[in-house]
Amino acid sequence: MKTDRPWGKAVVIGGSYAGLVTARVLADYFTEVVLVERDAVDEDTGTHPGAPQGYHAHAMLAKGGEILERLFPGLRKELQDAGAPVFDYGEGIDFLLPVGLAPRKRTGVRIQTFTRDELERRLRRKVLALPEVRLMPSTPCTGLTRDPSGRVSGVTCRPLGGDPADIPADLVVDASGRTSALTDWLDGMGISVPPKRTVKAKVTYTSMNFDRPEESHPGHPDFYLAYQMLFAPRVPRAGALLAVERNRWTCSLFAFQDQPPTDDKGYLAFAESLDNPRLAEQIGRRTVQEPTYRYTNVDNQWRLYHTVKDWPDRLIALGDAVCVFNPVYGQGLTVAAMEAEQLHRMLARHSHSRRLDGLAGDFQKKLGRLLIGPWTLATNSDLMWNPDRQPLAARFAHWYNTRLFHTAVKDAAVWAKFVRVVNMVASPALLFHPAVALKVLTTTTTLHPRRRHPAPGTHRT
């Protein structure tokens, strides 16, 4: 264990993806990093009960992939060697927009597809191999401790089958996910937190993994990802089919106010009801499959910690413990990586003075600013499903995006710019550049006939 770190001990509550990436960052600045995880996990654990969304399709946007490669050099190659393909977003995706197919042209944006299970297992092994990191599995946290000055000084936990114990820390990070109890703990300290913002998504996911031909096999399709996006109000059913490691597909079918079936016949029938036939084609060819899972807890939720005036020092919250997005937009993994990178930059600055005081509150404020973009993208889209609650900003975004899609299906250069923005490697302002806006505002829009979807709650047989 290195002793040249500026600070002593950090505690991370939660040992899933956000906690692991954060622990990697903290290991550069703390002599000891303790990962406290309520589930019984070890270095070979991938998906676990505390992260039930792990069974469903996950997107690692280009920005997130770049950050992970900086934090874990060689990770992309390691995943690729396991069979997780790396490809150009334009060339490798059969992407059905609400108005037609996106151009299959090179965009210069490279992504990689894999299961959350594989990613988390490999990250966990790498993080636990760091000499600074120690894992405490099967250990729920029950609260925080504070010193006489009011700073957070550690956590209280109760190992399963053991006695309650306090773990002192110079910094505590809550990365415990959407079930975080931090708001209640703060309330118990007399610190009030504004009510969280919630935008209902009303979307259900049903997912399975199944066999995929070898890439060299003539039966392998000419894509690594087939996608049909949800789009209010005309496209209430959608799905994503991702090529993942060990010659498998991960398929997630999703629907607004409907539940894609979990039985084999119904699952295929639902896929056949989509306008992108690629998903049903591959599902119909499967010979080996894994269990099917359903996930319904997809509402957007934002705990407004950045607005708390008396935020306690030495306490940080990030990941889903702060903000949860409807996963249909594929932002969660990348945003958590961006948050960890932001923490890395701030710790680097504070390390010169070796002072942690003031960092926590500043971090939460910066996090609040970071989240505005992805939150706006997710919620503006979800708000359009509700005809009685459509703010002006959401209506404008929907109107502009519709015209943008009509432009993109005919103009590969516009599509490439959209891809850069979606992958968070370019600012959304790029889509409002005069050269783009002129094309968008002057494009001809024609509604294409779509398949007639069954009424919510039914599926074709």
Side-chain angles (χ1 to χ4, degrees):
M1 183 180 295
K2 296 182 180 180
T3 58
D4 59 346
R5 303 296 196 253
W7 300 291
K9 182 187 291 186
V11 169
V12 180
I13 307 170
S16 291
Y17 170 78
L20 292 168
V21 177
T22 302
R24 163 62 189 86
V25 166
L26 296 173
D28 285 346
Y29 299 98
F30 289 81
T31 303
E32 183 180 8
V33 179
V34 182
L35 266 173
V36 185
E37 167 56 45
R38 64 184 178 185
D39 287 343
V41 301
D42 58 27
E43 64 177 12
D44 293 321
T45 303
T47 301
H48 53 99
Q53 69 273 24
Y55 295 105
H56 302 272
H58 278 67
M60 179 61 72
L61 305 180
K63 178 71 171 180
E66 293 171 1
I67 295 171
L68 286 190
E69 191 62 24
R70 287 195 288 270
L71 293 175
F72 302 95
L75 175 65
R76 172 165 287 195
K77 179 63 165 57
E78 190 177 312
L79 288 165
Q80 189 173 19
D81 289 345
V86 178
F87 53 93
D88 183 272
Y89 196 98
E91 295 174 330
I93 303 183
D94 189 282
F95 196 128
L96 183 61
L97 291 162
V99 298
L101 284 170
R104 293 288 295 275
K105 302 290 186 181
R106 185 178 180 275
T107 62
V109 176
R110 294 181 66 76
I111 63 169
Q112 186 173 33
T113 48
F114 38 72
T115 61
R116 166 75 175 262
D117 178 73
E118 187 72 17
L119 174 65
E120 193 161 312
R121 180 181 298 104
R122 291 181 182 271
L123 292 183
R124 186 169 286 109
R125 287 174 179 169
K126 291 177 178 296
V127 170
L128 295 184
L130 298 172
E132 297 82 12
V133 177
R134 176 167 63 94
L135 173 67
M136 291 182 63
S138 305
T139 306
C141 281
T142 57
L144 303 170
T145 59
R146 301 177 82 182
D147 66 17
S149 70
R151 299 183 306 191
V152 169
S153 58
V155 300
T156 300
C157 59
R158 188 184 187 103
L160 296 181
D163 296 325
D166 291 344
I167 306 175
D170 299 302
L171 182 69
V172 172
V173 179
D174 180 15
S176 59
R178 66 181 64 224
T179 60
S180 167
L182 182 57
T183 299
D184 293 335
W185 296 347
L186 292 172
D187 184 64
M189 297 180 190
I191 299 172
S192 61
V193 178
K196 65 185 176 185
R197 291 182 185 171
T198 300
V199 175
K200 296 287 186 180
K202 299 180 182 179
V203 173
T204 296
Y205 278 70
T206 305
S207 304
M208 71 159 68
N209 295 331
F210 57 93
D211 58 308
R212 173 171 62 95
E214 296 272 358
E215 285 191 42
S216 58
H217 192 279
H220 196 289
D222 66 345
F223 59 83
Y224 296 106
L225 198 163
Y227 184 56
Q228 176 172 318
M229 67 181 294
L230 288 175
F231 197 70
R234 298 180 61 239
V235 192
R237 290 185 167 195
L241 179 75
L242 287 69
V244 298
E245 70 282 351
R246 297 195 293 281
N247 294 318
R248 295 177 298 164
W249 293 109
T250 290
C251 183
S252 287
L253 303 178
F254 30 94
F256 173 73
Q257 289 188 328
D258 196 0
Q259 294 193 340
T262 56
D263 65 284
D264 290 353
K265 183 179 178 181
Y267 195 82
L268 176 58
F270 188 98
E272 289 173 338
S273 77
L274 302 180
D275 292 294
N276 189 335
R278 306 305 183 193
L279 290 84
E281 288 171 2
Q282 298 307 313
I283 295 171
R285 293 172 182 167
R286 72 193 186 281
T287 59
V288 179
Q289 70 185 62
E290 299 171 27
T292 305
Y293 295 91
R294 176 176 284 166
Y295 186 62
T296 58
N297 188 16
V298 299
D299 293 343
N300 304 278
Q301 299 179 14
W302 189 357
R303 296 177 173 98
L304 306 176
Y305 293 142
H306 61 287
T307 66
V308 176
K309 292 184 173 59
D310 50 351
W311 184 263
D313 228 336
R314 307 294 182 97
L315 172 67
I316 281 173
L318 46 67
D320 285 0
V322 177
C323 194
V324 181
F325 306 100
N326 178 352
V328 73
Y329 307 109
Q331 302 177 108
L333 295 180
T334 295
V335 170
M338 293 170 68
E339 294 170 356
E341 188 174 58
Q342 177 64 55
L343 179 59
H344 201 300
R345 287 194 293 264
M346 295 182 69
L347 287 170
R349 288 197 294 270
H350 279 254
S351 67
H352 299 303
S353 65
R354 304 177 83 90
R355 289 178 56 83
L356 280 172
D357 293 339
L359 180 143
D362 288 346
F363 176 82
Q364 298 305 147
K365 289 183 175 64
K366 289 182 183 296
L367 185 57
R369 292 193 288 272
L370 185 156
L371 291 170
I372 290 173
W375 174 264
T376 301
L377 171 65
T379 57
N380 276 352
S381 296
D382 286 339
L383 284 167
M384 293 306 295
W385 291 107
N386 185 349
D388 301 320
R389 189 189 173 196
Q390 295 181 352
L392 179 60
R395 295 201 303 272
F396 171 77
H398 191 270
W399 173 82
Y400 193 86
N401 284 338
T402 301
R403 301 188 70 87
L404 178 67
F405 294 152
H406 277 281
T407 307
V409 297
K410 298 176 288 189
D411 190 324
V414 171
W415 169 244
K417 289 179 172 60
F418 174 77
V419 167
R420 289 181 57 78
V421 171
V422 166
N423 278 274
M424 298 186 176
V425 293
S427 166
L430 179 63
L431 300 179
F432 296 92
H433 185 278
V436 177
L438 181 62
K439 292 180 178 180
V440 170
L441 297 176
T442 58
T443 193
T444 301
T445 61
T446 303
L447 289 179
H448 297 276
R450 305 193 61 85
R451 281 188 185 174
R452 186 179 186 86
H453 293 281
T458 68
H459 64 272
R460 291 183 177 180
T461 57

